[in-house]
């Protein structure tokens, strides 16, 4: 039997973007104060009346839009590849009769070029021309253009990409002045029910503004980045809103619109924004000249608290995160954390799951200490954890496998705490980790995944990329490959 349209069971995450349109609110005067409820009579519903004064029909978000809209830009990104001059007879036939990409030219506009394109939004956060957007808007792109609200257009350079937060910073080349930077708001002060507006470029129709409320905070089960702690809003957000601004009623940035829950790809009133506190951390990193974001290393694995665990620890409801394991000589171990400790707060901020903990800890920077409020047994205490980057304990010796083998198309590195942090390895295992796999490569077809650790090949232990490089130089008829994936060792056999 067909499912009712209201039963939205498996929801898909779609990427977004939004821009200016004025919303108005009408105000209904209260009923006369003389109309009072009596003890034996329920209060009357407020009487509907015609507005008696001009001010009663002039409430509007227009002043907020005028302040914020000039800071919101359109981001046009493309990846242009120049193809070689040689063509097959079939290529030439298709080009002459149908055109490249159906138009007689590559989408980049020049003969012999092939282009992929992406459209999103961004926010100017510095008068020098720094613009924040989503990483997925410019992912795999090598050319970026920025279009301002006043229709001026500029080329831009990519300054920093941070896939783990799905944020990226680009810089306008040779700005001619008149750039309006949007001030940061306090995303930590937001409450459910606060009015917010989303500004961006949905569907490429032009800058558009939508209005709604904060419908939830600290959403962690969205799946669009490693640091999940999203602001949820019912302000209409649609494809193209990605990287656009979520602003408060002062016109200050409180979030970057990032994802929606949708079956159709359109807005259903559930949109998600990255809080301004995380955005500020990424922008400050870019201002400091870095091209990547480094975060503090804890050296411990934490897990969720189930209702059964909460009951066994004497808690009235699940909260905090449980320390499941510690790495030797890590900040967690040096701070005195122990397996089984329950971390309840980070610098006084409550954490209810591993995603919220990871977000709070990631914001702390790389200097000084942060304090964890913990429950150990029946006693509550505080521990101070040093804020240091994960160490590179041995050279990565990055290897891109180009010889024919089950690893062809994979990028491999020697493991270390720094590598484990970057590619989200749960284990401090020694060996060779898969840092990336090319799409449609032999490695991808073999099932290799980012984060896999190569344990052995044909029974020979693999401890470094040099070991793997030496083995893959040979042409073998059979490959028996053992990998560690999330603590479980899997062995597969492949033909030569």
């Amino acid at each position: 039997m067909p499912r009712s349209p209201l039963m939205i069971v498996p929801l898909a995450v779609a990427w977004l973007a939004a821009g200016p349109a004025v919303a108005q609110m009408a105000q209904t005067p209260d009923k006369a104060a003389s109309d009072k409820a009596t003890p034996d009579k329920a209060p009357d519903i407020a009487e509907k009346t015609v507005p008696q004064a001009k001010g009663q029909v002039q409430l509007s978000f227009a002043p907020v839009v005028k302040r914020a809209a000039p800071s919101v830009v359109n981001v046009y990104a493309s990846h242009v590849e120049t193809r070689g001059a040689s063509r097959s007879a079939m290529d030439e036939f298709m080009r002459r009769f149908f055109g490249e990409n159906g138009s007689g030219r590559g989408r980049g506009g020049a003969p012999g070029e092939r282009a992929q394109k992406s459209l999103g939004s961004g926010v100017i956060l510095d008068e020098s021309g720094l613009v924040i957007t989503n990483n997925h808007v410019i992912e795999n792109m090598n050319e970026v253009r920025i279009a301002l609200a006043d229709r001026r257009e500029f080329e831009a350079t990519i300054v920093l990409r941070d896939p783990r937060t799905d944020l990226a910073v680009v810089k306008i080349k040779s700005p001619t002045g008149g750039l309006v930077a949007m001030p940061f708001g306090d995303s930590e002060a937001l409450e459910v029910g606060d009015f917010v507006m989303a500004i961006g470029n949905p569907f490429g129709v032009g800058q558009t503004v939508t209005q709604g409320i904060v419908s939830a905070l600290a959403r962690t089960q969205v799946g669009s980045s490693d640091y999940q702690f999203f602001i949820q809003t019912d302000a209409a957000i649609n494809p193209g809103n990605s990287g656009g601004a979520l602003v408060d009623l002062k016109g200050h940035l409180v979030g970057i619109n990032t994802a929606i829950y949708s079956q159709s790809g359109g807005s259903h009133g559930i949109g998600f924004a990255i809080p301004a506190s995380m955005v500020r951390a990424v922008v400050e990193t870019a201002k400091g000249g870095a091209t990547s974001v480094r975060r503090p290393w804890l050296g411990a694995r934490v897990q969720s608290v189930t209702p059964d665990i909460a009951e066994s620890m004497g808690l009235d409801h699940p909260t905090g995160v449980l320390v499941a394991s510690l790495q030797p000589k890590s900040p967690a171990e040096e701070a005195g954390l122990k397996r089984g400790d329950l971390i309840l707060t980070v610098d006084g901020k409550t954490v209810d799951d591993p995603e919220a903990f990871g977000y709070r800890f990631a914001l702390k920077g790389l200097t000084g200490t942060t304090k964890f409020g913990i429950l150990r047994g029946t006693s509550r205490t505080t521990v101070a954890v040093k804020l240091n980057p994960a160490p590179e304990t041995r050279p990565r010796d990055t290897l891109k496998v180009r010889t024919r083998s089950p690893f062809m198309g994979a990028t491999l590195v020697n493991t270390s705490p720094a590598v484990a942090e970057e590619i989200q390895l749960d284990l401090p295992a020694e060996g060779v980790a898969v840092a990336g796999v090319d799409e449609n490569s032999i490695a991808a077809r073999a099932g290799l995944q980012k984060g896999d650790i190569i344990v052995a090949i044909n029974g020979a232990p693999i401890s470094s990329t040099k070991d793997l490089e030496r083995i893959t130089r040979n042409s073998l008829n059979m490959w028996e490959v053992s990998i560690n994936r999330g603590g479980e060792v899997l062995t597969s056999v492949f033909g030569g």
Side-chain angles (χ1 to χ4, degrees), residues 165-232:
T165 57
D166 192 26
L167 291 171
V169 179
V170 301
K171 190 175 190 305
I172 294 173
K173 292 181 181 179
S174 306
T176 56
L179 300 183
V180 180
M182 184 178 292
F184 280 103
D186 186 359
S187 56
E188 297 290 336
L190 283 179
E191 295 182 326
V192 174
D194 283 349
F195 277 116
V196 287
M197 285 178 288
I199 310 179
N201 183 17
F203 302 110
V205 300
Q207 195 181 72
T208 305
V209 176
T210 55
Q211 172 268 327
I213 63 168
V214 173
S215 51
L217 293 167
R219 287 295 195 217
T220 58
Q221 303 301 316
V222 178
S224 61
S225 72
D226 289 345
Y227 295 104
Q228 298 189 41
F229 200 74
F230 294 98
I231 301 164
Q232 181 179 311

Side-chain angles (χ1 to χ4, degrees), residues 71 76 205 221 226 287-288 358 372 375 433:
S71 302
Y76 301 96
V205 300
Q221 303 301 316
D226 289 345
K287 286 182 177 179
F372 292 173
L375 177 65

Side-chain angles (χ1 to χ4, degrees), residues 181-468:
M182 184 178 292
F184 280 103
D186 186 359
S187 56
E188 297 290 336
L190 283 179
E191 295 182 326
V192 174
D194 283 349
F195 277 116
V196 287
M197 285 178 288
I199 310 179
N201 183 17
F203 302 110
V205 300
Q207 195 181 72
T208 305
V209 176
T210 55
Q211 172 268 327
I213 63 168
V214 173
S215 51
L217 293 167
R219 287 295 195 217
T220 58
Q221 303 301 316
V222 178
S224 61
S225 72
D226 289 345
Y227 295 104
Q228 298 189 41
F229 200 74
F230 294 98
I231 301 164
Q232 181 179 311
T233 178
D234 67 350
I237 296 174
N238 287 287
N241 271 99
S242 288
L246 189 72
V247 303
D248 59 19
L249 293 190
K250 296 179 181 177
H252 294 175
L253 184 75
V254 292
I256 292 295
N257 300 319
T258 298
I260 57 175
Y261 270 132
S262 176
Q263 285 184 312
S264 64
S267 175
H268 286 288
I270 302 178
F272 300 96
I274 300 168
S277 52
M278 179 61 80
V279 177
R280 187 195 293 268
V282 172
V283 171
E284 291 302 319
T285 299
K287 286 182 177 179
T291 57
S292 61
V293 180
R294 300 188 73 190
R295 296 181 173 86
W297 176 50
L298 180 61
R301 186 169 63 86
V302 298
Q303 68 180 56
S304 299
V305 177
T306 65
D308 289 341
I309 292 174
E311 184 179 358
S312 71
M313 300 185 75
L315 302 173
D316 57 6
H317 66 281
T319 186
V321 293
L322 202 64
V323 178
S325 63
L326 297 106
Q327 296 182 31
K329 299 180 182 179
S330 65
E333 186 186 67
E334 292 175 357
L337 280 174
K338 299 182 183 299
R339 187 173 179 273
D341 284 349
L342 184 66
I343 302 173
L344 299 170
T345 61
V346 177
D347 279 344
K349 300 285 188 182
T350 301
V351 293
D352 287 327
D353 51 41
E355 289 80 10
F357 171 79
Y359 175 87
R360 292 291 182 198
F361 187 61
L363 289 178
K364 293 302 164 184
L366 296 174
T367 58
T369 61
T370 186
K371 292 183 179 179
F372 292 173
I374 67 169
L375 177 65
R376 179 176 294 162
T378 58
S379 301
R380 294 183 181 241
T381 186
T382 301
V383 298
V385 178
K386 290 182 181 179
L387 298 170
N388 296 318
E392 195 102 13
T393 52
R394 61 174 180 156
R396 299 187 183 209
D397 288 339
T398 302
L399 171 65
K400 181 66 176 284
V401 180
R402 304 185 188 280
T403 54
R404 187 167 183 84
S405 71
F407 309 99
M408 188 175 180
T411 300
L412 306 166
V413 294
N414 293 330
T415 58
S416 69
V419 168
E421 281 291 299
E422 287 178 22
I423 63 177
Q424 294 295 277
L425 294 176
D426 285 336
L427 304 171
E430 292 293 325
V432 174
V434 179
V437 180
D438 291 346
E439 190 176 355
N440 298 322
S441 64
I442 291 177
R445 294 196 293 273
L448 284 183
Q449 299 176 12
K450 181 179 178 179
D452 286 346
I453 299 175
I454 311 301
V455 175
I457 299 175
N458 292 343
I462 302 296
S463 60
S464 69
T465 57
K466 291 180 180 178
D467 291 341
L468 195 142

Side-chain angles (χ1 to χ4, degrees), residues 107-139:
R107 280 182 283 175
E113 288 186 350
R114 179 174 55 193
Q116 296 174 317
K117 292 190 176 182
S118 174
L119 170 67
S121 304
V123 184
I124 300 171
L125 293 177
D126 187 275
E127 292 180 358
S128 68
L130 284 183
V131 174
I132 191 79
T133 186
N134 281 135
N135 182 67
H136 72 260
V137 171
I138 65 165
E139 189 173 16

